[in-house]
């Protein structure tokens, strides 16, 4: 059969594509983490400078800065880390991400409620 001679090439190309996609995903995740930590550091450094300068700062402004710098769900494990069992269906078809399960809608709703409360408090 002439088709069997191409099987190793198909396997190699599939493995190479899989590895490259995984590395790309890892790189993007690392870039996002780095940007988030840099933003948090910048916010907290600005707050430190304001406190050291002796300017009067309201507790509300300090709380807002701290909340802005906090990570959502700090101290909690991600849903992927809770699952230790990986079945063949997960390997072949992939896992459902929190966005697929509707978790992102919940975060958006909470953010909108928080913004609405801040606007009402200012009025």
């Amino acid at each position: 059969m002439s088709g069997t001679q191409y099987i190793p090439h198909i396997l190699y190309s599939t493995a190479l594509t899989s590895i490259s996609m995984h590395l790309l995903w890892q790189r993007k995740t690392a870039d996002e983490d780095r940007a988030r930590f840099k933003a948090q550091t910048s916010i907290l450094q600005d707050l430190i400078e304001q406190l050291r300068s002796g300017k009067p700062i309201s507790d509300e402004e300090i709380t807002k800065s701290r909340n802005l710098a906090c990570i959502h769900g700090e101290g909690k494990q991600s849903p992927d880390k809770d699952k230790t069992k990986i079945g063949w269906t997960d390997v072949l078809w992939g896992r459902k991400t929190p966005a697929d399960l509707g978790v992102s809608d919940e975060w958006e709703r909470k953010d909108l409620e928080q913004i609405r409360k801040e606007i009402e408090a200012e009025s």
Side-chain angles (χ1 to χ4, degrees), residues 33-96:
D33 288 343
R34 192 176 303 115
R36 185 177 67 246
F37 291 136
K38 187 176 181 180
Q40 289 173 345
T41 304
S42 173
I43 291 168
L44 293 175
Q45 284 178 345
D46 289 343
L47 184 60
I48 289 170
E49 288 176 12
Q50 288 178 357
L51 290 171
R52 286 185 180 162
S53 69
K55 295 180 185 176
I57 302 173
S58 66
D59 289 338
E60 182 178 316
E61 187 175 342
I62 293 173
T63 305
K64 283 183 181 180
S65 295
R66 286 181 59 204
N67 288 341
L68 186 59
C70 285
I71 300 174
H72 285 292
E74 187 174 19
K76 297 179 183 176
Q77 288 185 336
S78 68
D80 290 340
K81 291 182 181 177
D82 291 339
K83 295 182 181 179
T84 56
K85 181 180 175 187
I86 300 176
W88 280 107
T89 55
D90 292 337
V91 172
L92 295 175
W93 307 114
R95 286 187 178 167
K96 298 286 184 185

